[in-house]
Amino acid sequence: MPVNADPSFAPSPTAPPAGALAITLPGGTTLWLLPQRAVWWPAARTAFVADVHFGKAATFRRAGQPVPHGTTADNLARLDAVLAVTGAQHLVFLGDFLHARSGAADALWSQLRPWRERHAGIRMTLVRGNHDLHAGDPPAALGITLVDEPWQPMEGAEVLACHHPHSVAGATVLAGHLHPTATLYGLARDSVRLPCFAWTPGLVVLPAFGAFTGSAVDQLPPGTLRFVVAGAQVRRL
């Protein structure tokens, strides 16, 4: 499959979710970048999110750090929003579903179980990330299929689901791990840092979905296209 160094922005044949921005991969696959920090693949009826890090705030509190409560409820409400705006039949977590083993407590499962029951008709898959390998798999009762990277959500398609960004010949990898952001500067020397999607040929990196995740030092190569989540819209820089 040829690699297109100048990705195109073709309109989707279906009506887009509000505030979303479409990208078209070299093989013709259209993906929508959503302001909910998710990717929507209409042809596969599949939504992708990365780096939810369930249990992170609880892990910090156990270590004596004063961090906010309510992050799990916030994450679940925003996952509800992703499913509502897309009508997805499949939700794929691109790694780091859990943050740490110490955060995988009964209080977390007591919130996740009823949420999963409300969405019992939706297939869910976790592509294990580095935090998942240490934290352990979520309980089987949540009905989440567990796979390792790279994983192909649809046979014969050019999209591969991973956690760690890397290149796979003839495919476009959807990944997380880097928690990408972009800093915007104003005329009054003010600035704001926003989560963003990052796109280079063969790779789309999603922003961290979790409400309490932070961002890492920029590890994106020069020339990366960035699409910031600016409120209810995704906008290309």
Side-chain angles (χ1 to χ4, degrees):
M1 178 184 303
V3 174
N4 185 354
D6 182 21
S8 60
F9 297 84
S12 170
T14 59
L21 186 148
I23 62 175
T24 301
L25 305 183
T29 299
T30 297
L31 301 175
W32 288 96
L33 311 182
L34 306 183
Q36 291 82 7
R37 305 188 197 181
V39 167
W40 168 232
W41 183 9
R45 301 296 302 274
T46 299
F48 301 85
V49 297
D51 300 287
V52 180
H53 285 270
F54 280 120
K56 182 175 182 179
T59 298
F60 276 54
R61 285 193 295 271
R62 287 175 181 268
Q65 299 295 320
V67 299
H69 291 264
T71 55
T72 297
D74 180 79
N75 288 335
L76 294 177
R78 291 187 301 108
L79 286 172
D80 286 340
V82 170
L83 298 174
V85 300
T86 61
Q89 296 178 349
H90 189 186
L91 176 62
V92 177
F93 296 93
L94 298 174
D96 290 1
F97 181 84
L98 296 173
H99 181 72
R101 192 175 298 274
S102 60
D106 290 342
L108 175 62
W109 309 133
S110 68
Q111 294 182 76
L112 288 180
R113 281 194 295 267
W115 175 82
R116 184 65 178 103
E117 290 169 1
R118 291 200 306 273
H119 300 294
I122 296 176
R123 179 185 171 198
M124 296 189 186
T125 300
L126 167 62
V127 183
R128 292 184 180 96
N130 53 300
H131 278 266
D132 301 301
L133 297 179
H134 296 289
D137 294 331
L142 290 182
I144 298 175
T145 301
L146 306 171
V147 299
D148 295 316
E149 63 181 358
W151 177 69
Q152 190 173 45
M154 178 185 287
E155 185 176 356
E158 62 181 315
V159 174
L160 287 179
C162 297
H163 175 66
H164 299 91
H166 59 277
S167 298
V168 177
T172 292
V173 167
L174 302 186
H177 187 59
L178 299 183
H179 302 196
T181 60
T183 301
L184 308 183
Y185 297 93
L187 298 178
R189 298 185 180 179
D190 53 339
S191 64
V192 61
R193 187 168 61 177
L194 299 174
C196 73
F197 299 87
W199 189 16
T200 55
L203 176 66
V204 178
V205 182
L206 280 68
F209 187 86
F212 182 60
T213 51
S215 60
V217 176
D218 195 335
Q219 303 175 56
L220 299 170
T224 298
L225 296 179
R226 300 179 193 232
F227 307 86
V228 297
V229 178
Q233 288 189 325
V234 177
R235 306 185 72 115
R236 181 185 177 184
L237 287 184

